[in-house]
Amino acid sequence: MSRALPKYDKRRVAFIGGAAAVALSGTAIAGFALAGETSGSGGTNARTLAGPGTITCPDVTSRLPDVPASARAEVDSNLAQLNTQIQEANKRLVDTVGQGGPNFVQNAILGPLEDKRVAALNRIETAIGRAAAKPEGLEAFAACQLDADGGAGAGEAGAGAGAEASAGAGAGADEGGAGAGAGADEGGAGAGEGGAGEAGNAGAGTIDCPDVASRLPAVPASAQAEVDRNLGQLDTQIQEANKRLVDTVGQGGPNFVQNAILGPLEDKRVAAINRIATAIGRTAERPAGLDSLAACTLTK
């Protein structure tokens, strides 16, 4: 009896120790899952769960010149939108863990985020430029990166809470002048975009976009070069989207094409179409409603 008791005690100790180890493991897992939850109500830092990492973007607020009082509300609205875009991208990063191939984060999250940031930065430049010297080169702060260590993403300090609701107001005018020469890297790629959606793998489908050139009024001679440049950019955007469509066949979930290709394409088209409208509006009546031609569809 005296020898059996120690064995019983050893078994009991081993059992209790194992249960404690399981409990501690559960606590560690729970702590890991909660470690990266969004923490502040101020919204200046966008964080995600530590596992998928965190998207970090350059701070824009600190790079701005003095903002005229007449432009402050619009600038704050777009700074708030930049912050919201980071938060939405970080949420998508968490929601899509394990999806897609090696380029999924770039194609489905970072790429679309950069496109949205370019549009917001152009609106900020334009808003300031209406009452002061227009800042140039803010697009250099559009690209973001994935911090795999889960570091805090840079937010846009000073952005007004809730301003996103008004960020898109007057979007038709916001891009005014923002893209003068923005399409220069397209090498003046031909006027018109008819048939541009014909590229692409038949198996993946083809992206079709409304023709913009045929919907334009008479273009003043002084605006022709800029209009042609942006029409060429619309062409190039469709070709690039069709190429991405082929390159990413089989990646992502059911909303991959919309989130990673069609959505970013529409953002780019809105910016180019607004530049066209602005170029015409400098010397003639500005065409209205061209934004309705920005959305594209996938045909199989």
Side-chain angles (χ1 to χ4, degrees):
M1 182 70 180
S2 59
R3 286 195 297 271
L5 184 57
K7 291 183 180 180
Y8 171 76
D9 288 341
K10 289 179 182 178
R11 287 196 298 269
R12 182 171 58 181
V13 170
F15 174 78
I16 294 172
V22 171
L24 289 173
S25 298
T27 302
I29 292 171
F32 173 83
L34 293 173
E37 290 291 346
T38 301
S39 57
S41 59
T44 57
N45 286 328
R47 293 191 58 112
T48 65
L49 302 184
T54 301
I55 291 173
T56 306
C57 303
D59 178 61
V60 174
T61 306
S62 62
R63 314 300 176 93
L64 296 181
D66 291 336
V67 178
S70 60
R72 171 54 64 187
E74 187 173 353
V75 169
D76 284 349
S77 174
N78 281 286
L79 288 173
Q81 190 173 26
L82 288 172
N83 204 44
T84 301
Q85 290 166 357
I86 299 173
Q87 294 168 356
E88 291 174 344
N90 272 310
K91 181 178 185 301
R92 182 175 297 172
L93 189 67
V94 175
D95 293 344
T96 58
V97 168
Q99 290 189 20
N103 297 320
F104 177 83
V105 171
Q106 178 60 46
N107 292 336
I109 301 177
L110 292 179
L113 175 60
E114 181 175 356
D115 294 335
K116 292 178 180 179
R117 283 174 63 84
V118 166
L121 292 169
N122 282 339
R123 290 194 293 270
I124 290 173
E125 289 179 343
T126 300
I128 295 174
R130 292 193 187 105
K134 178 181 174 181
E136 300 290 347
L138 291 183
E139 293 89 344
F141 307 117
C144 303
Q145 64 182 6
L146 177 64
D147 176 7
D149 294 329
E156 307 307 334
E164 180 192 5
S166 61
D174 283 338
E175 300 297 335
D185 59 338
E186 306 302 337
E193 52 173 330
E198 296 305 317
N201 187 315
T206 301
I207 293 172
D208 292 317
C209 303
D211 181 60
V212 174
S214 63
R215 311 292 184 90
L216 297 180
V219 179
S222 60
Q224 191 65 61
E226 188 173 351
V227 169
D228 286 350
R229 183 166 55 247
N230 281 286
L231 288 173
Q233 192 173 24
L234 289 172
D235 261 343
T236 302
Q237 290 167 356
I238 299 174
Q239 294 165 3
E240 291 174 344
N242 272 308
K243 182 178 185 300
R244 181 176 293 180
L245 189 66
V246 175
D247 293 344
T248 59
V249 168
Q251 287 191 20
N255 296 321
F256 177 83
V257 171
Q258 178 61 46
N259 292 337
I261 301 177
L262 292 179
L265 175 59
E266 181 174 356
D267 292 335
K268 291 179 181 179
R269 284 174 61 85
V270 166
I273 289 171
N274 281 336
R275 290 194 292 267
I276 290 172
T278 300
I280 295 174
R282 291 193 186 104
T283 53
E285 183 179 357
R286 179 188 172 97
L290 293 181
D291 285 356
S292 64
L293 306 175
C296 303
T297 58
L298 176 65
T299 58
K300 291 293 186 179

